[in-house]
Amino acid sequence: MAYRWTNDLTHADVTPKAAFLNRRQIIAGTLGLGAIAAGLPAAAQEALVPNSLEDITSYNNYYEFGTGKSDPAQNAHQLEISPWSVKVSGMVDNPGEYSLEDLLDGLTVEERIYRFRCVEAWSMVVPWNGIELADILNKVGVQSGAKYVAFETVVQPENMIGVQRRVLQFPYVEGLRLDEAMHPLTIMATGIYGEPISKQNGAPMRLVVPWKYGFKSIKSIVRITLTDDEPPISWNVANPREYGFYSNVNPKVDHPRWSQATERKIGGGLFAKREPTLMLNGYADEVAGLYSDMPLNEYF
């Protein structure tokens, strides 16, 4: 049965699609346009933010396709997503190589309107279409003793020019504790704004964990592994001083190079004030119990 929770978000809160896909240009634009726009009416200030189709698809982070903000949009079209298979291994009853269609067959796709908070201190509200991860894990059968779920992104060297640059160790990997993975808020997203996820945004399937910073929501998943050992995660391997395993949204725990106490809401206008960051991204009532035995102010 599909999970239902008390949700104060509606379609009126959703970050405009153009703003979601163009978020980094909006952030950069505030630096260069502020002096020019200071004396303009609000409507004119809003008009300074470009929302063309080219802008919408030109800014993204997906290092496998390059580190420049326009690189994924320019290069991700090379990603082969059909056919797509996901290898399920480790402490499961039904391991194997599943086609995406078989893995998701019979499971319920829902729209989930979630806050999305980036470690870079911007935020948005996004309507995802996806399936509860717990439903997928229950389908393959989680064995007793499993404590963690590890995920792996596809590597297609012939199609991913960023892989050759070795900015990170590839494949990109992420992980959750089993109780986090089984929580009803955690989903595998296959769509956004009622459409299939674009290649640069993680097609054909990505993780979404709304109370954690966005880099935990690993893209283009090809492997799911159940294990009793804490799995490595890419950003922690690359820079353990700045990125930890949990990566829960916490206004009281700063990134070593910037405060996390406030955030910029994308789509709020060129001169929108920074807003206070919510504990666990606003989902504390639902998920704080997962960490009742942990000093949250010491964990990132």
Side-chain angles (χ1 to χ4, degrees), residues 117 211-213 247-255 258-263 277-282 294-300:
R117 174 60 156 80
W211 68 93
K212 293 181 180 287
Y213 291 115
S247 303
N248 287 324
V249 176
N250 190 337
K252 298 180 181 180
V253 177
D254 291 335
H255 186 280
W258 57 80
S259 170
Q260 296 288 19
T262 63
E263 62 194 47
T277 297
L278 300 176
M279 176 62 77
L280 297 170
N281 205 26
M294 293 172 55
L296 278 180
N297 289 353
E298 299 177 12
Y299 279 82
F300 175 61

Side-chain angles (χ1 to χ4, degrees), residues 92-108:
V92 294
D93 296 329
N94 302 297
E97 190 96 13
Y98 290 81
S99 70
L100 183 62
E101 294 77 15
D102 287 344
L103 185 65
L104 304 183
D105 183 53
L107 303 182
T108 301

Side-chain angles (χ1 to χ4, degrees), residues 123-142:
S123 67
M124 66 187 88
V125 176
V126 182
W128 304 96
N129 302 103
I131 293 165
E132 288 185 17
L133 177 58
D135 290 344
I136 296 174
L137 297 180
N138 286 331
K139 183 173 182 176
V140 299
V142 179

Side-chain angles (χ1 to χ4, degrees), residues 73-103:
Q74 293 175 3
N75 301 321
H77 67 278
Q78 300 177 73
L79 179 66
E80 295 288 344
I81 62 172
S82 182
W84 192 269
S85 62
V86 179
K87 185 173 183 179
V88 180
S89 62
M91 302 175 73
V92 294
D93 296 329
N94 302 297
E97 190 96 13
Y98 290 81
S99 70
L100 183 62
E101 294 77 15
D102 287 344
L103 185 65

Side-chain angles (χ1 to χ4, degrees), residues 130-205:
I131 293 165
E132 288 185 17
L133 177 58
D135 290 344
I136 296 174
L137 297 180
N138 286 331
K139 183 173 182 176
V140 299
V142 179
Q143 292 182 354
S144 175
K147 298 178 181 179
Y148 296 91
V149 187
F151 307 91
E152 184 177 305
T153 291
V154 69
V155 175
Q156 297 177 2
E158 68 281 10
N159 298 324
M160 293 174 152
I161 63 171
V163 170
Q164 304 167 16
R165 299 172 184 171
R166 301 185 182 277
V167 177
L168 291 171
Q169 294 183 23
F170 297 111
Y172 190 92
V173 293
E174 257 299 343
L176 298 172
R177 275 188 350 203
L178 182 60
D179 57 350
E180 296 174 325
M182 297 295 285
H183 194 281
L185 288 179
T186 304
I187 64 170
M188 281 292 192
T190 57
I192 191 170
Y193 294 98
E195 301 175 3
I197 295 178
S198 68
K199 292 181 178 181
Q200 61 262 41
N201 284 323
M205 181 176 75

